[in-house]
Amino acid sequence: MTPKECIEFAKESECRMVDLKFLDLPGVWQHFSVPMQELDEDSFESGFGFDGSSIRGFQSIHASDMLVIPDPDTAVIEPFTEVKTLSLICNVVDPVTHLPYSRDPRFVARKAEAYLKSTGIADTCFVGPEAEFFLFDEVRFDFGHHFAFHEVNSDEGQWNTGRAEDPNLGYKVRYKQGYFPVPPTDSLQDIRAEIALTLHGLGIPVEALHHEVATAGQCEIDMRFAPLVQMGDRLMWFKYVVKNVARRHGKTATFMPKPLFEDNGSGMHCHVSLWKAGQNLFAGHLYAGLSQAALHFIGGVLAHAPALCAFTNPTTNSYKRLVPGFEAPVNLAYSSRNRSASIRIPMVSANPKARRLELRFPDPSCNGYLAFAAILMAGLDGIQRELPAGQPLDKDIYGLTPEELKDVPKTPGSLGKALDALESDHDFLLAGEVFTPDILERWIHFKREQEAVQVAIRPHPYEFLLYYDI
């Protein structure tokens, strides 16, 4: 869509406001709005100003002025405002040089796509994330110098089987038994359907929707795969729609990987394939119908997985899910069909167009633009350097003994260790200037100082049970 077509679309839709969306470094959408009459064709070059020092991970206060440049191809009608509003996703640029901002995550994803084409290996990287989430009925949390607590609640939660509900009708979801129950046990079908239809109205096709394994409202809605940058945009819309439809129904949605103790966490399995001139480069006649390029891509992802986790699993809470011994995809191995491997080759169709890799360790707390770009860069490094994938692990990994698992590498055990791995292994990200030293340094510093350290210095309630009487 050209700028002129975008403006005509807005006028035909009788829009009165324009909402300008961009995201901070951690990956949360920010926005501000302007009246429709403020948008003209020049706006798509001159942009709109904002204070970059107030955005997490962006500018210092002495160089705070920044611009957002709307991308006309992202134009849709905002689904959650009473006033008819045109919504545009924006790129961030420097107001002096007018060059793209190095810390804009969407710019990193755009560079990753350009670098892929420049290598001649492929022209498209398709990504299909399966972002799981919880729909709770209430969440409360607070902390101070002398206290800390959190509490979530759900009408579906098994812990509410004995709650006085005037009347309590039962049909609570048992722990770890929430996969595919029908209503009335599954009480969220209509909300998931509304989310899917809202996404469809935004031009985002949905393939499937269902209740997930955990009690207390864990859900999954699967979007159809799309090229990398477009899927980055769609993941942002996905989270936005889930949260706003949930709120419309008096519920609250979270993409935290591990909000519940002793039940399944939320992952974001990422299906990835490389294509060139309409041909799937991952289809072949080797293991599980894969090509040599696909196996080298696996080799690159496995070689760089600890560093990748700094982007694919970028929160301290991520490592409450990635814990050995609890059916988490912590073992860095690949396998056909085997869902206990961190990389799976789905056997869902004999059609070579469907051949792909499924990375099972990422989670939905990630910034999709950065995570998808990092995965692509690791895989390309594997192809370019012909890194071996090693032998597949077709056994039930969760059933192996410690002795059998001792030589299988693991994902990092904490955000701090993932950031350490990124510090020591990041050259593959710098190829083609896709990632820059500036954004890597800022990411590591922000994640350490604002998240890892802040969690580390606070007492945990369970420590009182363990240590108070020492």
Side-chain angles (χ1 to χ4, degrees), residues 111-112 115 118 377 427-435:
K111 287 190 290 182
Y115 176 68
S118 76
M377 296 302 289
D427 286 349
F428 70 99
L429 296 170
L430 300 175
E433 298 183 346
V434 173
F435 287 76

Side-chain angles (χ1 to χ4, degrees), residues 174-221:
R174 298 182 185 92
Y175 294 116
K176 297 182 181 294
Q177 294 185 35
Y179 197 63
F180 285 19
V182 297
T185 301
D186 175 9
S187 65
L188 302 170
Q189 172 65 17
D190 285 339
I191 297 180
R192 289 195 302 271
E194 185 175 331
I195 292 168
L197 292 174
T198 303
L199 290 168
H200 179 77
L202 293 165
I204 301 174
V206 168
E207 294 187 328
L209 46 150
H210 58 85
H211 204 288
E212 255 298 339
V213 173
T215 188
Q218 190 182 36
C219 298
E220 180 179 313
I221 299 175

Side-chain angles (χ1 to χ4, degrees), residues 111-112 115-116 228 297 300 304 308 371-382 384 427-435:
K111 287 190 290 182
Y115 176 68
L116 172 64
L228 192 150
F297 193 100
H304 299 298
L308 280 182
F372 302 155
I375 290 168
L376 173 60
M377 296 302 289
L380 287 178
D381 187 58
Q384 290 165 326
D427 286 349
F428 70 99
L429 296 170
L430 300 175
E433 298 183 346
V434 173
F435 287 76

Side-chain angles (χ1 to χ4, degrees), residues 243-263:
K243 291 174 183 178
N244 280 282
V245 171
R247 186 178 181 87
R248 188 185 278 168
H249 288 267
K251 295 185 182 292
T252 177
T254 182
F255 290 89
M256 280 181 66
K258 190 69 173 176
L260 295 182
F261 173 56
E262 289 192 331
D263 208 338

Side-chain angles (χ1 to χ4, degrees), residues 290-321:
L290 294 178
S291 66
Q292 188 62 64
L295 290 171
H296 286 320
F297 193 100
I298 290 173
V301 169
L302 292 179
H304 299 298
L308 280 182
C309 284
F311 291 110
T312 60
N313 306 83
T315 67
T316 59
N317 188 251
S318 298
Y319 299 89
K320 301 294 193 296
R321 169 180 171 259

Side-chain angles (χ1 to χ4, degrees), residues 7 10-11 15-18 34-41 43 48:
I7 293 171
K11 290 180 178 178
C15 291
R16 299 174 62 190
M17 300 294 293
V18 181
V34 299
M36 186 63 216
Q37 57 266 30
E38 295 297 313
L39 184 73
D40 56 30
E41 291 186 52
S43 302
F48 297 89

Side-chain angles (χ1 to χ4, degrees), residues 20-73:
L20 304 167
K21 295 179 172 69
F22 64 102
L23 73 162
D24 62 12
L25 187 60
V28 177
W29 251 352
Q30 313 295 305
H31 83 128
F32 63 95
S33 301
V34 299
M36 186 63 216
Q37 57 266 30
E38 295 297 313
L39 184 73
D40 56 30
E41 291 186 52
D42 289 340
S43 302
F44 294 87
E45 292 186 8
S46 57
F48 297 89
F50 73 99
D51 177 6
S53 68
S54 297
I55 304 301
R56 294 185 302 172
F58 275 24
Q59 292 292 89
S60 57
I61 197 167
H62 71 275
S64 60
D65 289 344
M66 302 294 292
L67 293 175
V68 292
I69 306 294
D71 183 343
D73 285 330

Side-chain angles (χ1 to χ4, degrees), residues 177-425:
Q177 294 185 35
Y179 197 63
F180 285 19
V182 297
T185 301
D186 175 9
S187 65
L188 302 170
Q189 172 65 17
D190 285 339
I191 297 180
R192 289 195 302 271
E194 185 175 331
I195 292 168
L197 292 174
T198 303
L199 290 168
H200 179 77
L202 293 165
I204 301 174
V206 168
E207 294 187 328
L209 46 150
H210 58 85
H211 204 288
E212 255 298 339
V213 173
T215 188
Q218 190 182 36
C219 298
E220 180 179 313
I221 299 175
D222 299 336
M223 296 178 284
R224 185 178 298 276
F225 63 88
L228 192 150
V229 173
Q230 187 177 60
M231 184 50 77
D233 294 342
R234 289 181 175 183
L235 183 60
M236 296 307 299
W237 271 114
F238 181 87
K239 291 184 177 182
Y240 182 73
V241 169
V242 167
K243 291 174 183 178
N244 280 282
V245 171
R247 186 178 181 87
R248 188 185 278 168
H249 288 267
K251 295 185 182 292
T252 177
T254 182
F255 290 89
M256 280 181 66
K258 190 69 173 176
L260 295 182
F261 173 56
E262 289 192 331
D263 208 338
N264 283 45
S266 293
M268 189 180 76
H269 305 155
C270 290
H271 296 255
V272 181
S273 59
L274 296 183
W275 290 62
K276 186 174 184 178
Q279 298 296 314
N280 184 0
L281 301 184
F282 281 4
H285 302 286
L286 300 177
Y287 176 79
L290 294 178
S291 66
Q292 188 62 64
L295 290 171
H296 286 320
F297 193 100
I298 290 173
V301 169
L302 292 179
H304 299 298
L308 280 182
C309 284
F311 291 110
T312 60
N313 306 83
T315 67
T316 59
N317 188 251
S318 298
Y319 299 89
K320 301 294 193 296
R321 169 180 171 259
L322 291 181
V323 178
F326 289 91
E327 298 191 1
V330 298
N331 296 294
L332 297 174
Y334 72 100
S335 177
S336 167
R337 303 178 62 185
N338 188 346
R339 293 175 184 266
S340 67
S342 61
I343 300 179
R344 183 174 77 101
I345 298 90
M347 295 288 104
V348 294
S349 172
N351 189 336
K353 290 185 176 181
R355 194 66 64 234
R356 62 192 186 271
L357 308 178
E358 180 190 12
L359 280 63
R360 297 179 64 81
F361 56 90
D363 70 55
S365 69
C366 73
N367 180 329
Y369 298 103
L370 297 181
F372 302 155
I375 290 168
L376 173 60
M377 296 302 289
L380 287 178
D381 187 58
I383 293 173
Q384 290 165 326
R385 295 169 54 204
E386 299 185 349
L387 296 178
Q391 293 300 310
L393 194 55
D394 289 330
K395 300 178 181 179
D396 178 3
I397 297 174
Y398 303 140
L400 298 180
T401 66
E403 181 64 23
E404 292 174 306
L405 280 172
K406 66 180 178 63
D407 294 326
V408 179
K410 307 288 191 295
T411 56
S414 69
L415 176 58
K417 290 181 180 179
L419 295 172
D420 289 344
L422 179 60
E423 269 191 326
S424 60
D425 176 26

